Amino acid sequence: MLFRSARAAADLYRNGSLRRQEAEQLLTFCNNANPAFLISVLGGGVFGSVRAGVWLLVIHVVSALVTGLLFRGKGEKGGEKLKKKAGNMKLTVLGPGCWGLTLAKLMTPNFDRVCVWGRSENLSDELINEKKTTVPVTVELAKHTEITSNLFEAVHDADVILMVISTSGIRDVSKQLAQVPIRKDQILVNTSKGLELPSLMRMSEVIKDVLPEQKLVILSGPTLAKEVLAVLTERLSLTCDGDPLVAGKYDILLSFVGDYTTDT
């Protein structure tokens, strides 16, 4: 299990043999270079010594075992801590697309209320009535998830607002948020990538252009919805400014990605 086991851990999680936290703990130390590559290519080919390759293999194995011991049991305790701190809060996800629904599903355990907002033409009967979508991938939300096309209803009492909007719609939705209006103490998280045309502004710059006083957090990383749902992607990144309001709520920001690893 020490070598080429990322896919094996994901497979074991999908078939129910491992809990999510157990699979994540495996990935902290079961992701090492192939022994044949270390001994023959690096040892024999690069260093001209099979013995050097063997030493590289030993170092890999020992490092993996030490890492496993250091992180033993960390995931479950950390998850419980985050969920406790994010209690009695509302999360609003702006954007009922595949990625927005995926994030809503993953974050639901950390919030008392979860609301998904979208324009009425983008809200399918399946999503409204059954709280799920099957296109392009199947995402099933908790039954208590609120679905609405009323932006004021979705935003006015939210603690955390997640913008999962297409690049072309960021400026328009930001203007609508300004009219609600969004409060300065609400945490706004942008997940959209790309550049606005023709201004060539990044999405964070567009949001700041419309909402200059808003505290903004950026969520990024390898974020394919299908892989995240299948626990094939194990690292997301959160970036925020150094404002005390945001820094003081950083434990809440960590709960955005549930048990996922988060960088600052």
Side-chain angles (χ1 to χ4, degrees):
M1 281 294 290
L2 287 175
F3 304 96
R4 301 177 61 186
S5 60
R7 183 179 296 275
D11 290 340
L12 289 171
Y13 169 75
R14 281 195 295 266
N15 65 29
S17 299
L18 291 178
R19 292 180 296 131
R20 174 173 168 170
Q21 290 169 344
E22 292 172 333
E24 291 176 341
Q25 288 168 5
L26 274 179
L27 290 173
T28 62
F29 65 94
C30 292
N31 190 16
N32 301 288
N34 189 291
F37 172 79
L38 291 172
I39 296 174
S40 61
V41 178
L42 288 183
V46 176
F47 296 106
S49 169
V50 173
R51 177 176 294 181
V54 172
W55 274 111
L56 286 173
L57 175 60
V58 171
I59 292 170
H60 263 60
V61 171
V62 172
S63 299
L65 293 176
V66 170
T67 300
L69 290 173
L70 290 176
F71 286 93
R72 182 177 54 184
K74 295 291 185 181
E76 186 171 351
K77 293 179 182 178
E80 291 174 354
K81 180 180 179 181
L82 292 177
K83 291 178 182 179
K84 181 178 179 181
K85 290 197 174 185
N88 301 314
M89 299 189 70
K90 176 182 176 181
L91 169 72
T92 289
V93 178
L94 305 180
C98 183
W99 182 226
L101 296 181
T102 296
L103 290 175
K105 175 182 175 67
L106 291 176
M107 299 175 194
T108 292
N110 297 323
F111 292 86
D112 287 342
R113 297 174 59 200
V114 176
C115 178
V116 175
W117 172 88
R119 297 183 178 89
S120 56
E121 62 269 22
N122 295 330
L123 299 177
S124 65
D125 291 337
E126 181 181 44
L127 180 59
I128 295 173
N129 299 323
E130 301 180 34
K131 307 298 174 68
K132 73 174 184 179
T133 184
T134 54
V135 178
V137 298
T138 299
V139 184
E140 188 167 355
L141 303 176
K143 296 302 181 184
H144 66 272
T145 304
E146 305 166 28
I147 310 294
T148 183
S149 59
N150 186 314
L151 187 60
F152 176 81
E153 179 182 301
V155 168
H156 84 280
D157 59 346
D159 297 281
V160 177
I161 302 169
L162 212 61
M163 289 188 72
V164 198
I165 305 295
S166 63
T167 301
S168 60
I170 287 290
R171 185 173 292 275
D172 179 59
V173 173
S174 296
K175 289 179 179 179
Q176 293 182 56
L177 287 174
Q179 294 173 357
V180 168
I182 185 173
R183 303 191 313 273
K184 292 182 180 180
D185 64 327
Q186 292 174 303
I187 298 177
L188 181 63
V189 183
N190 174 55
T191 70
S192 301
K193 305 178 181 69
L195 300 175
E196 182 190 49
L197 296 176
S199 70
L200 298 182
M201 297 172 70
R202 299 190 307 274
M203 294 300 98
S204 57
E205 293 174 321
V206 173
I207 295 171
K208 280 292 189 179
D209 187 42
V210 180
L211 301 166
E213 302 300 321
Q214 194 62 43
K215 314 306 177 186
L216 183 63
V217 178
I218 308 298
L219 187 150
S220 60
T223 51
L224 295 176
K226 187 175 181 180
E227 291 190 355
V228 172
L229 286 170
V231 198
L232 294 178
T233 298
E234 290 297 330
R235 182 170 291 274
L236 300 179
S237 176
L238 285 172
T239 304
C240 64
D241 58 28
D243 188 276
L245 175 64
V246 178
K249 295 184 178 180
Y250 198 75
D251 282 334
I252 300 173
L253 299 182
L254 293 179
S255 71
F256 284 170
V257 287
D259 297 324
Y260 279 54
T261 301
T262 305
D263 296 329
T264 57

